[in-house]
């Protein structure tokens, strides 16, 4: 008996919808309109996020005020500003790479970030950090460019050690110029390897 009633209700609903087909058409239009509006909002939010990233400028005082995790995200966003695909990896098990990025010509960057609350008055980044990066950047992260970056300074032994082992050092001065300006990081560093893929101008 219940099945008969259910079938009867279904038939009645179908007949009613066929007689009032315009309701189905209206519902479809509403669904399409709602979906289109949602898609447009998502795309607009993405465009706004890209615009904010491309316009990103940071003063060194703003960088000093960050904590170490926010510092890593700021470096990620600066790489994105310059057209890289970048992700923040910092945390337990990051294998001495806080930010990994691929630049517009295909080079892979492994960046170890060292934030100093007191800037260049804080402790210098030493050879030990560079040795950790040297052991993982290329072997684990597949990096073409290994970087140790700080808002502070490097020890006197770290500077020649970095040059000898192809670890690029970004100190407070270079970081400040990069963060506040419009030049990408690779324009501020020496001995950068050639592009992995040809550029549009080549």
């Amino acid at each position: 008996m219940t099945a008969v009633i259910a079938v009867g209700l279904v038939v009645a609903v179908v007949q009613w919808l066929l007689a009032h087909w315009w309701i189905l058409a209206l519902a479809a239009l509403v669904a399409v309109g709602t979906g289109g509006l949602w898609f447009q909002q998502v795309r607009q939010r993405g465009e706004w996020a890209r615009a904010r990233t491309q316009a990103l400028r940071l003063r060194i005082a703003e960088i000093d005020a960050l904590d170490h995790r926010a510092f890593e995200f700021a470096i990620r966003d600066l790489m994105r500003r310059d057209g890289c695909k970048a992700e923040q990896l910092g945390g337990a098990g990051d294998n001495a790479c806080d930010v990994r990025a691929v630049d517009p010509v295909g080079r892979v960057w492994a960046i170890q970030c060292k934030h100093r609350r007191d800037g260049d008055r804080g402790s210098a980044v030493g050879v030990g950090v560079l040795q950790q990066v040297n052991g993982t950047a290329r072997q684990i992260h597949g990096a073409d460019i290994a970087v140790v970056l700080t808002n502070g300074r490097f020890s006197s032994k770290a500077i020649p050690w970095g040059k000898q082992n192809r670890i690029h050092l970004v100190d407070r001065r270079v970081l400040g110029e990069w963060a506040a300006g419009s030049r990408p990081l690779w324009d501020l560093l020496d001995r950068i390897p050639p592009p992995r893929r040809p550029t549009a101008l080549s």
Side-chain angles (χ1 to χ4, degrees):
M1 186 66 177
T2 303
V4 173
I5 293 173
V7 171
L9 285 174
V10 170
V11 170
V13 170
V14 170
Q15 288 177 341
W16 186 86
L17 288 174
L18 289 174
H20 301 84
W21 58 269
W22 56 272
I23 293 178
L24 287 176
L26 182 61
L29 286 174
V30 170
V32 169
T34 302
L37 181 61
W38 175 82
F39 178 77
Q40 184 178 7
Q41 289 175 340
V42 169
R43 186 177 64 180
Q44 192 173 49
R45 283 197 295 267
E47 290 173 353
W48 287 339
R50 283 191 294 273
R52 285 195 300 270
T53 299
Q54 290 170 356
L56 180 62
R57 301 288 184 272
L58 293 173
R59 300 189 311 274
I60 196 68
E62 293 175 305
I63 292 174
D64 289 343
L66 301 174
D67 62 30
H68 74 279
R69 184 55 55 86
F71 181 56
E72 294 169 6
F73 280 106
I75 299 307
R76 179 204 65 182
D77 291 344
L78 286 168
M79 294 299 285
R80 288 180 177 179
R81 179 197 70 183
D82 295 340
C84 300
K85 296 179 180 178
E87 57 181 333
Q88 186 270 348
L89 303 177
D94 62 15
N95 290 307
C97 177
D98 294 315
V99 176
R100 186 180 186 275
V102 180
D103 68 24
V105 293
R107 294 171 298 207
V108 177
W109 294 64
I111 304 174
Q112 176 74 341
C113 302
K114 290 297 178 183
H115 186 267
R116 296 293 186 257
R117 183 180 301 174
D118 297 325
D120 56 4
R121 296 187 305 276
S123 60
V125 179
V127 172
V129 173
L130 276 62
Q131 289 173 334
Q132 293 174 358
V133 171
N134 193 49
T136 61
R138 300 174 185 90
Q139 298 88 331
I140 294 177
H141 301 290
D144 301 295
I145 303 168
V147 176
V148 178
L149 181 151
T150 182
N151 66 321
R153 58 192 173 87
F154 291 94
S155 70
S156 58
K157 292 182 179 179
I159 295 170
W161 200 95
K163 289 181 179 179
Q164 182 179 354
N165 292 276
R166 296 184 299 125
I167 307 293
H168 292 83
L169 306 186
V170 176
D171 61 10
R172 183 179 184 81
R173 181 191 63 78
V174 177
L175 173 61
E177 183 177 354
W178 174 44
S182 57
R183 296 174 64 192
L185 184 56
W186 47 89
D187 280 358
L188 302 173
L189 300 178
D190 297 326
R191 300 178 296 120
I192 294 294
R196 279 197 178 192
R197 54 175 178 259
T199 65
L201 299 177
S202 62

